[in-house]
Amino acid sequence: MESQQDYEQTFSFEFFPPKTPEGADKLRKVRDELAKLNPLYFSVTFGAGGSTQQGTIDTVLEIQQSGSNAAPHLSCIGSTKESIRELLNKYKDNGIKRIVALRGDMPSGMQETGEFRYANELVEFIRSETGSHFHIEVAAYPEFHPQARDAETDLANFKRKVDAGADSALTQYFYNIDAYVRFVEDCEALGIKIPIVPGIMPITNYKQLARFSDMCGAEIPRWIRKRLEGFGDDITSLRAFGLDVTAELCDELLDIGAPGLHFYTMNQTGPTLEIWKELGL
Ligand code: FAD
């Protein structure tokens, strides 16, 4: 973890684009509350293959106009170079300086007809089109990407994104701190020198978390899973336990020199704010 300690610790919050006017109103309030914590930026997810893309653009521009820094996620699977170029120009023209560059996943039933296969190709394209204008974040997987052939290949593929010009990385969420430490050390051994910021998923809803985790390959350790199952409908106890576990994880991460935290807010203030308060940040 030595190289990570050289970086300033940064904090950021992730949103998804709201689907309804009520959701948009609620998100404005959440954003205003979280903006008081002075994050480096708010990022907004992007649906691969067409879904919710306009929502991402609208949300990002609104955040930027409100005076905070916005970072759009941009996934490339199923896209043409021309469509990505248009988006990059739009963001550049609106003062956006940071992009989270991803491959994304094709929605089921859609054909993969785009001009990009992997995120490293997107990073390369952004650099060739816009030089050093954007700070490029990429995704990292301490417990490995679900489609990875093996751990070593996945690390080599992560390095491709860094070699293509990524400035920093945000991890998939994890609850095994050892997986993150080992991942960072393996990256150091490969000569990767960028901040690898842990992604933090607050625990508020067991069924939802279990579903997400099955999809994205993040492990909920057995002892946490068993406790969460045991709470049943007792949401108050579940949330208190979830807060305890995630705040302790964050505390340890910052202690060992993680270069900040990126919170998956799920468009809610409470869970992130509670962890923040526990950390005394
Ligand atoms: P890549 O880095 O391209 O990797 C994908 C897989 O291909 C890996 O198994 C890798 O080992 C392999 N691979 C990579 N490069 C090569 C290569 N050159 N040759 C052969 N194999 C290769 N999804 C969305 O749709 N929208 C979002 O907004 C979004 N935000 C995210 C934010 C974060 C912080 C994270 C961690 C994930 C996010 N995702 C999002 C999910 C992400 O799109 C999926 O995990 C997707 O399956 C992989 O994207 P990637 O950019 O990591 O892909």
Side-chain angles (χ1 to χ4, degrees), residues 31-42:
R31 182 195 72 207
D32 287 346
E33 275 305 300
L34 294 178
K36 293 179 191 156
L37 311 180
N38 211 10
L40 186 62
Y41 62 92
F42 290 104

Side-chain angles (χ1 to χ4, degrees), residues 1 142-143 173-185 198 200 219 221 223-224 245-258 261:
M1 290 284 299
E143 294 175 329
Y173 65 88
F174 56 88
Y175 299 103
N176 297 307
I177 195 164
D178 292 350
Y180 170 76
V181 173
R182 179 63 68 126
F183 181 81
V184 167
E185 287 173 356
I200 302 300
E219 192 197 29
W223 68 274
I224 298 182
V245 168
T246 32
E248 201 171 306
L249 172 70
C250 294
D251 204 22
E252 284 177 32
L253 283 165
L254 294 176
D255 254 12
I256 59 170
L261 301 170

Side-chain angles (χ1 to χ4, degrees), residues 197-242:
V197 176
I200 302 300
M201 179 67 89
I203 300 175
T204 57
N205 179 322
Y206 172 59
K207 281 199 180 124
Q208 192 186 47
L209 183 70
R211 201 176 58 242
F212 279 171
S213 303
D214 286 346
M215 280 187 316
C216 72
E219 192 197 29
I220 310 174
R222 181 181 158 82
W223 68 274
I224 298 182
R225 196 179 268 268
K226 283 284 174 199
R227 295 252 185 172
L228 294 175
E229 276 169 8
F231 290 122
D233 294 333
D234 181 359
I235 298 298
T236 310
S237 303
L238 183 144
R239 286 191 164 207
F241 172 75

Side-chain angles (χ1 to χ4, degrees), residues 17-275:
K19 292 194 181 70
T20 60
E22 297 74 37
D25 265 349
K26 189 187 147 219
L27 185 59
R28 276 178 208 115
K29 295 193 181 89
V30 171
R31 182 195 72 207
D32 287 346
E33 275 305 300
L34 294 178
K36 293 179 191 156
L37 311 180
N38 211 10
L40 186 62
Y41 62 92
F42 290 104
S43 82
V44 184
T45 61
F46 187 74
S51 65
T52 76
Q53 296 188 346
Q54 189 57 42
T56 303
I57 301 170
D58 295 343
T59 310
V60 159
L61 298 187
E62 194 179 320
I63 293 171
Q64 192 75 10
Q65 278 154 16
S66 77
S68 294
N69 294 319
H73 293 210
L74 181 55
S75 60
C76 61
I77 196 97
S79 301
T80 61
K81 290 188 172 166
E82 192 44 42
S83 65
I84 298 281
R85 184 177 292 124
E86 261 176 43
L87 264 179
L88 291 173
N89 287 335
K90 185 178 218 87
Y91 288 140
K92 207 172 156 195
D93 292 346
N94 282 281
I96 307 288
K97 305 277 283 202
R98 184 182 292 259
I99 281 193
V100 184
L102 304 146
R103 183 196 70 175
D105 296 305
M106 279 308 264
S108 55
M110 265 180 96
Q111 298 284 334
E112 292 187 24
T113 51
E115 293 183 75
F116 299 89
R117 286 167 310 156
Y118 297 107
N120 65 295
E121 296 167 14
L122 176 63
V123 176
E124 205 178 308
F125 183 73
I126 298 174
R127 282 284 172 249
S128 72
E129 290 287 310
T130 60
S132 58
H133 176 82
F134 291 108
H135 178 112
I136 304 179
E137 302 273 358
V138 289
Y141 301 84
E143 294 175 329
F144 304 106
H145 186 264
Q147 291 157 0
R149 198 169 59 200
D150 53 56
E152 204 184 333
T153 316
D154 207 32
L155 272 162
N157 288 331
F158 176 62
K159 187 170 187 297
R160 288 177 199 260
K161 300 193 273 195
V162 180
D163 292 344
D167 296 293
S168 46
L170 302 172
T171 78
Q172 184 57 275
Y173 65 88
F174 56 88
Y175 299 103
N176 297 307
I177 195 164
D178 292 350
Y180 170 76
V181 173
R182 179 63 68 126
F183 181 81
V184 167
E185 287 173 356
D186 286 349
C187 287
E188 278 172 8
L190 291 175
I192 294 171
K193 289 197 183 72
I194 60 167
I196 301 172
V197 176
I200 302 300
M201 179 67 89
I203 300 175
T204 57
N205 179 322
Y206 172 59
K207 281 199 180 124
Q208 192 186 47
L209 183 70
R211 201 176 58 242
F212 279 171
S213 303
D214 286 346
M215 280 187 316
C216 72
E219 192 197 29
I220 310 174
R222 181 181 158 82
W223 68 274
I224 298 182
R225 196 179 268 268
K226 283 284 174 199
R227 295 252 185 172
L228 294 175
E229 276 169 8
F231 290 122
D233 294 333
D234 181 359
I235 298 298
T236 310
S237 303
L238 183 144
R239 286 191 164 207
F241 172 75
L243 172 61
D244 221 32
V245 168
T246 32
E248 201 171 306
L249 172 70
C250 294
D251 204 22
E252 284 177 32
L253 283 165
L254 294 176
D255 254 12
I256 59 170
L261 301 170
H262 177 76
F263 289 91
Y264 296 106
T265 69
M266 305 302 288
N267 291 8
Q268 293 177 39
T269 319
T272 299
L273 204 53
E274 283 162 17
I275 297 174

